[in-house]
Amino acid sequence: MNLLILGGTIVTMSSKGVIRDGAIAVEDRHVVDVGKSRELRRKYRRYETIKAEGKVVIPGLISTHHHAAMGLLRGYADDYPLKEWLERWIWPLERCMKGHDIYVGALLTAVESIMGGITTINTMYHYVEGGNEAQGFAEAGLRGIIGHVCFSWRKDEDRRALESLAREWHGKHDGRIRVSVDPHAPYTVDPEYMVELWHIKNDLNERYGSPGNPVIWHIHVAETEDEPEKIRQAFNVPVKGGVVEYLDSLGVLGKDVIAAHCVALNERDITILRDRDVKVSHCPISNLKLASGVSPVPRLLDAGVTVSLGTDGPSSNNASDMFEVMKIAALLHKGVWRNPTLLPAEKVLGMATIEGAKALLWEREIGSIEVGKKADITILNFDKPHLRPLYNELSHLVYAAKASDVETVVINGDIVMENREVKTVNVHRLLEEAEKTKEDLLNRLSQNR
Ligand SMILES: [Zn+2]
């Protein structure tokens, strides 16, 4: 489809900066022109036009750490420590989940995310052939990297799931869906299996990927202070320094690694993350909710590490809302370090867009509004009491805008939401299905007990 987004303030997140009374021309899936509206209006007269006067246009937001299917479990268990939350509540319920539950949860998250201006999600969950997150993302029109989460206790199942996931989904839906290999964490994946999974990732890359379309590695790292002790207890291996140093000793760090959380880091860990070009997904809301601690993000940024932002899953956040994540990321480090100059608005918006794209090795196609990139575009209505008057768009986007201010969303050149109407999914029916799916799941849980 040929599209012309006309008349808005365009926050490109590229070297073109902010363009007032700007326009974007989209042909098929790509941005082909970005400039002033008076020029583009003439050049692209026949294109379907989205009127954006008075609106603010940004690159689609990118959440680099998620468990999308957990949209079905939101609010099921809150206010517990991570270990108890997982072992007593989440894992028993997840053991009862079937493909259909995973699909419905992911579809719910995909729709919620689109309605909040998110266009790309990197998600880690259980991949099941009959029903999975990839189906939900594909149907909603969301861009995403779908992982299969691996544990030492189910190696054969994981090996089959990873092969099937890559074969069925990598690069599919016009390149909108990619896949990843996701060891859950260093304390649930033993060192030998961790190394085996690294080789599986490389092998899948050779067979299904390419440098511009890689199969990446997604893992929880150093989420809590006691992680070295948990690794020692689980596998009886010596962990002398930090968790990053331990992973490096296994040879499983590189530029295609996205490490979620990175809360409990020492100086050596930070140097290794930088030297190996590991990408960090900072999830401040999840870390606060589970009382895991605060990631040393200003130190990571000073060291030159790529830091992106993640919502984490809907059970530990509990919203798939990048506006909340941006604001809390900006505020948290100012407060903790007693320094109001840390993580300024422009930096934080970058972490939610172009840095997110870099973190997922997808920056050649997404993360900014630039000629040649895929058209992933979020348009916000700024005619709201909390967004007027307007001095600085970047400030409003991080400190004042809400997910509900998002009006229209384009992903891969397709309009997936227009004037807050989702085009790809019947939202009313989905909400009914979510309630029904929840009831069925709880029935299965009570039968299993
Ligand atoms: Zn997580």
Side-chain angles (χ1 to χ4, degrees):
M1 186 166 45
N2 293 339
L3 265 182
L4 183 63
I5 298 168
L6 193 65
T9 296
I10 301 168
V11 179
T12 64
M13 300 312 286
S14 77
S15 56
K16 285 199 170 180
V18 175
I19 305 171
R20 297 211 163 66
D21 193 16
I24 306 163
V26 176
E27 284 177 9
D28 195 16
R29 311 233 161 268
H30 293 89
V31 172
V32 294
D33 210 344
V34 183
K36 284 287 192 185
S37 63
R38 62 175 181 278
E39 291 156 23
L40 270 67
R41 184 187 283 121
R42 270 184 282 128
K43 276 165 81 178
Y44 304 98
R45 216 175 307 157
R46 298 228 165 86
Y47 287 18
E48 181 181 336
T49 302
I50 297 176
K51 288 190 181 134
E53 285 95 1
K55 305 191 194 302
V56 172
V57 184
I58 63 173
L61 300 171
I62 298 172
S63 173
T64 59
H65 181 62
H66 217 305
H67 309 282
M70 294 178 89
L72 200 64
L73 312 185
R74 184 196 333 257
Y76 169 66
D78 295 314
D79 311 327
Y80 294 103
L82 178 63
K83 185 173 154 62
E84 187 185 352
W85 179 73
L86 284 174
E87 292 176 2
R88 185 167 152 218
W89 294 95
I90 296 299
W91 285 345
L93 189 62
E94 285 187 326
R95 276 193 278 275
C96 300
M97 279 175 85
K98 295 180 173 169
H100 181 71
D101 306 315
I102 294 170
Y103 155 75
V104 171
L107 185 58
L108 200 58
T109 293
V111 169
E112 176 197 6
S113 303
I114 288 168
M115 293 181 80
I118 296 173
T119 56
T120 301
I121 285 180
N122 182 39
T123 181
M124 171 193 290
Y125 211 67
H126 312 276
Y127 176 76
V128 182
E129 269 185 24
N132 51 64
E133 292 185 310
Q135 288 172 341
F137 281 31
E139 188 176 327
L142 191 69
R143 186 183 298 283
I145 301 180
I146 312 294
H148 170 73
V149 61
C150 301
F151 295 94
S152 275
W153 50 267
R154 59 167 194 200
K155 294 178 183 177
D156 280 340
E157 195 184 326
D158 289 342
R159 292 177 188 116
R160 282 194 298 272
L162 288 169
E163 179 65 34
S164 165
L165 172 65
R167 186 184 62 236
E168 299 298 325
W169 290 99
H170 190 63
K172 298 294 163 68
H173 290 265
D174 292 313
R176 195 155 51 74
I177 305 290
R178 292 183 178 180
V179 311
S180 62
V181 173
D182 301 1
H184 171 258
Y187 60 91
T188 47
V189 173
D190 64 80
E192 293 77 25
Y193 189 37
M194 189 76 81
V195 173
E196 183 194 332
L197 288 170
W198 185 259
H199 292 304
I200 289 177
K201 181 260 299 172
N202 291 339
D203 173 59
L204 291 176
N205 238 319
E206 267 173 39
R207 288 186 292 125
Y208 300 106
S210 67
N213 181 32
V215 175
I216 66 166
W217 177 266
H218 181 192
I219 179 172
H220 295 107
V221 175
E223 183 169 358
T224 54
E225 294 286 344
D226 60 351
E227 206 162 295
E229 186 53 37
K230 277 160 59 177
I231 299 168
R232 263 179 240 126
Q233 279 179 8
F235 309 121
N236 196 25
V237 289
V239 185
K240 291 189 202 82
V243 171
V244 173
E245 190 173 349
Y246 163 73
L247 290 172
D248 196 41
S249 75
L250 302 180
V252 295
L253 295 180
K255 69 174 176 13
D256 55 352
V257 171
I258 181 125
H261 302 306
C262 291
V263 169
L265 301 177
N266 60 36
E267 284 303 321
R268 172 131 186 81
D269 286 335
I270 292 173
T271 305
I272 295 169
L273 288 174
R274 196 250 339 263
D275 291 349
R276 299 280 179 233
D277 197 15
V278 171
K279 315 303 194 297
V280 170
S281 177
H282 174 42
C283 305
I285 296 182
S286 160
N287 297 155
L288 287 169
K289 184 164 185 262
L290 293 165
S292 305
V294 177
S295 171
V297 169
R299 297 231 300 278
L300 288 164
L301 292 171
D302 282 346
V305 176
T306 301
V307 182
S308 59
L309 294 177
T311 50
D312 207 346
S315 295
S316 53
N317 177 303
N318 292 359
S320 185
D321 183 338
M322 285 294 283
F323 287 94
E324 286 186 0
V325 172
M326 285 196 288
K327 181 167 181 173
I328 289 184
L331 300 183
L332 177 63
H333 301 283
K334 291 173 172 66
V336 166
W337 300 74
R338 287 175 172 74
N339 180 351
T341 69
L342 293 176
L343 275 75
E346 185 171 10
K347 179 72 206 167
V348 173
L349 187 62
M351 289 162 76
T353 53
I354 187 65
E355 299 301 311
K358 285 180 193 161
L360 302 181
L361 301 184
W362 216 330
E363 76 272 22
R364 270 197 258 170
E365 294 194 341
I366 58 172
S368 58
I369 299 174
E370 277 184 84
V371 172
K373 284 201 179 183
K374 293 280 174 69
D376 283 13
I377 296 166
T378 289
I379 304 174
L380 293 99
N381 181 355
F382 262 43
D383 281 328
K384 305 272 180 93
H386 60 281
L387 298 172
R388 297 284 175 181
L390 178 58
Y391 301 95
N392 180 325
E393 288 84 1
L394 301 175
S395 169
H396 273 7
L397 284 164
V398 171
Y399 294 115
K402 303 174 194 306
S404 54
D405 300 327
V406 172
E407 200 170 70
T408 294
V409 175
V410 174
I411 301 177
N412 225 22
D414 294 322
I415 303 172
V416 292
M417 181 171 79
E418 190 166 23
N419 296 322
R420 290 209 67 72
E421 186 195 335
V422 176
K423 300 283 191 186
T424 46
V425 176
N426 181 326
V427 178
H428 179 69
R429 252 202 312 230
L430 171 62
L431 302 186
E432 284 180 351
E433 182 61 26
E435 280 296 341
K436 183 178 169 299
T437 308
K438 177 202 80 178
E439 292 300 328
D440 291 349
L441 178 61
L442 290 177
N443 284 338
R444 246 176 282 141
L445 180 71
S446 63
Q447 282 159 14
N448 271 15
R449 272 192 171 147

